[in-house]
Amino acid sequence: MNYYEKLNKAIKNTLEDRHFSDQLHYFDEVVLLAKIIIENTPSLVKEEYSSFVPLDTSLAIVGDFFHGIKKEYATEFQALLQEKSDENSVSFHKIEKNEKDCSLVNDKGEVKIDYTKMLNDSFTIAHEMTHKFSQEKNHHSIIKQFLGEMPTITMEFLLEDYLLEHTDYKEEEIRIRKKNRLLETYDDAGAVLLENTLLKLYQQNNGQITQDVLLHYLDSMDKNSKLYELFSTRGEHYLNEIVENGTLLFAKRERYVIGTLCASCFHQKMKNQEANGEELSYIMAVLGHSDNTTEEDLKALSKLDIPLLKNGQVDLSEETRLQLASAYQKESEEFSLSKKTFK
């Protein structure tokens, strides 16, 4: 089987897999969100950390931070660090800063954290522990899958605020995590848009995408657009990942597109005192509920003003898109306004 046969097979596998049916149902809406990311992300270059921060210091920072959000989180955090059972174990693995971070909370509930003894460790610990606090137990709820990264990325943004206010680390060092998060989300958004394009080309060409089909599409794009630049520079990487995995990957990538946009909106509301830690805790509790169906999740979350959800439905009206775009612009403003700092 040649490269393009494998690519077509991967697309076919995705379309025939019932586990992707809900994501495919909402894919057009996710594409609109991905476009918000592409259109509103400033030009960024990935940054590396330089300040040495012992792991114990990072753990203390996160404990104090969680206490400020909700004291029960700080208590649960400390209990998890001392837990010995496999189901709730937390393990730490030292990696070099150029190694891939594979931190996660697995299906068994085990927390595995890679650390580098740098400031990024605090963000990684807060992110993964938030996953643990809100770990989804009903994998059949599409809302849990869609919003799974919203609390974790919100915590990252709030931790940045905490570090700026309560520590003496350099401002540019503290802001690296968010800068890299926006850059990674931009890449995820590009991949989502490419996979959406692949689905359309697959259907238009009777399930037979070839190199000529892709090159013809690329040639038809606006050469001055951000999307053309992204497809030209990252398209081959995206395609290779699809071929290697045997399916499209939008179900994973869209979580970060949705999560970053919704986190931006929620963070801005908290900064403007239009939302608080209790509302964030409520979202995490809904995501971690063991029995709720999608409909029940939507009903529970409708008590909060979350863009994307309205009247128990996924809503992406023009008003909603403008609200999300405005919040995301505010998060990215610090980088477009301080380019000299981040050259």
Side-chain angles (χ1 to χ4, degrees):
M1 193 179 292
N2 67 32
Y3 185 87
Y4 287 94
E5 288 174 337
K6 291 178 181 178
L7 176 62
N8 289 308
K9 178 65 173 174
I11 298 171
K12 183 180 179 182
N13 289 342
T14 304
L15 293 172
E16 293 179 347
D17 189 335
R18 63 182 180 82
H19 293 102
F20 288 106
S21 59
D22 284 332
Q23 283 94 339
L24 286 168
H25 179 72
Y26 290 110
F27 201 17
D28 287 342
E29 284 82 358
V30 176
V31 165
L32 294 174
L33 297 177
K35 288 180 178 178
I36 292 174
I37 298 291
I38 296 298
E39 292 165 4
N40 294 284
T41 303
S43 179
L44 300 172
V45 177
K46 186 174 181 179
E47 293 286 326
E48 298 292 343
Y49 288 86
S50 58
S51 299
F52 172 77
V53 182
L55 178 60
D56 285 347
T57 300
S58 293
L59 291 170
I61 287 172
V62 175
D64 290 342
F65 165 68
F66 278 149
H67 190 273
I69 298 294
K70 187 177 181 180
K71 63 180 182 181
E72 287 81 0
Y73 290 157
T75 301
E76 186 175 354
F77 175 58
Q78 295 300 330
L80 285 168
L81 292 178
Q82 298 172 29
E83 180 63 55
K84 301 300 181 183
S85 69
D86 290 340
E87 183 178 349
N88 288 310
S89 66
V90 180
S91 59
F92 296 89
H93 310 273
K94 176 71 171 63
I95 61 172
E96 300 302 319
K97 67 177 183 179
N98 59 343
E99 287 185 69
K100 182 179 179 181
D101 186 333
C102 296
S103 302
L104 56 78
V105 180
N106 64 25
D107 291 340
K108 296 179 180 179
E110 299 166 333
V111 183
K112 299 180 183 296
I113 294 175
D114 290 342
Y115 70 97
T116 58
K117 291 188 177 179
M118 291 188 174
L119 190 58
N120 189 50
D121 295 341
S122 296
F123 290 96
T124 300
I125 294 165
H127 184 109
E128 298 305 333
M129 285 300 180
T130 302
H131 270 312
K132 179 63 178 176
F133 297 158
S134 61
Q135 187 173 23
E136 64 178 77
K137 302 177 183 67
N138 178 0
H139 293 275
H140 300 295
S141 172
I142 190 65
I143 299 305
K144 289 181 173 70
Q145 295 172 40
F146 275 174
L147 297 182
E149 296 297 339
M150 176 186 170
T152 59
I153 297 173
T154 300
M155 286 293 194
E156 289 181 12
F157 292 172
L158 292 171
L159 180 56
E160 177 186 284
D161 297 340
Y162 174 87
L163 290 170
L164 288 169
E165 183 176 353
H166 297 284
T167 71
D168 296 325
Y169 296 112
K170 294 179 181 178
E171 179 180 344
E172 57 265 33
E173 186 97 349
I174 293 172
R175 295 195 188 279
I176 287 176
R177 176 68 172 223
K178 184 188 288 182
K179 182 184 181 186
N180 289 346
R181 169 63 65 200
L182 300 187
L183 184 60
E184 290 166 6
T185 304
Y186 181 78
D187 191 60
D188 286 327
V192 165
L193 292 173
L194 181 129
E195 293 193 4
N196 180 256
T197 300
L198 287 178
L199 283 173
K200 291 178 180 178
L201 292 175
Y202 182 84
Q203 294 163 349
Q204 293 168 7
N205 292 276
N206 299 314
Q208 295 298 319
I209 293 178
T210 64
Q211 184 179 37
D212 287 342
V213 168
L214 293 181
L215 291 175
H216 181 267
Y217 180 82
L218 194 64
D219 189 56
S220 70
M221 295 180 70
D222 177 1
K223 305 300 186 295
N224 295 316
S225 68
K226 279 187 171 184
L227 200 55
Y228 175 79
E229 179 186 5
L230 197 53
F231 281 13
S232 298
T233 58
R234 295 286 290 166
E236 184 177 357
H237 171 76
Y238 297 151
L239 292 173
N240 288 342
E241 281 193 324
I242 294 167
V243 169
E244 181 180 340
N245 283 273
T247 62
L248 299 181
L249 301 170
F250 66 89
K252 177 181 178 181
R253 287 187 179 269
E254 70 185 12
R255 288 167 57 95
Y256 295 94
V257 171
I258 295 167
T260 302
L261 284 174
C262 288
S264 297
C265 199
F266 203 82
H267 180 223
Q268 291 301 317
K269 286 181 179 180
M270 291 189 74
K271 289 178 70 173
N272 296 331
Q273 298 184 331
E274 297 169 6
N276 55 47
E278 286 301 316
E279 293 184 34
L280 180 60
S281 301
Y282 180 81
I283 294 171
M284 291 165 64
V286 171
L287 295 179
H289 197 283
S290 60
D291 301 318
N292 281 3
T293 63
T294 296
E295 292 73 22
E296 290 168 330
D297 282 337
L298 283 167
K299 185 177 180 180
L301 291 170
S302 66
K303 297 177 182 179
L304 303 176
D305 182 22
I306 300 176
L308 197 67
L309 304 177
K310 190 174 183 180
N311 299 323
Q313 298 291 329
V314 174
D315 168 65
L316 268 181
S317 63
E318 183 178 359
E319 179 183 358
T320 299
R321 297 198 302 273
L322 288 172
Q323 184 182 5
L324 288 167
S326 175
Y328 183 75
Q329 286 168 358
K330 286 184 172 67
E331 295 297 337
S332 59
E333 248 173 23
E334 61 197 61
F335 306 113
S336 44
L337 291 176
S338 54
K339 290 180 180 177
K340 289 183 180 179
T341 305
F342 288 97
K343 276 186 178 178

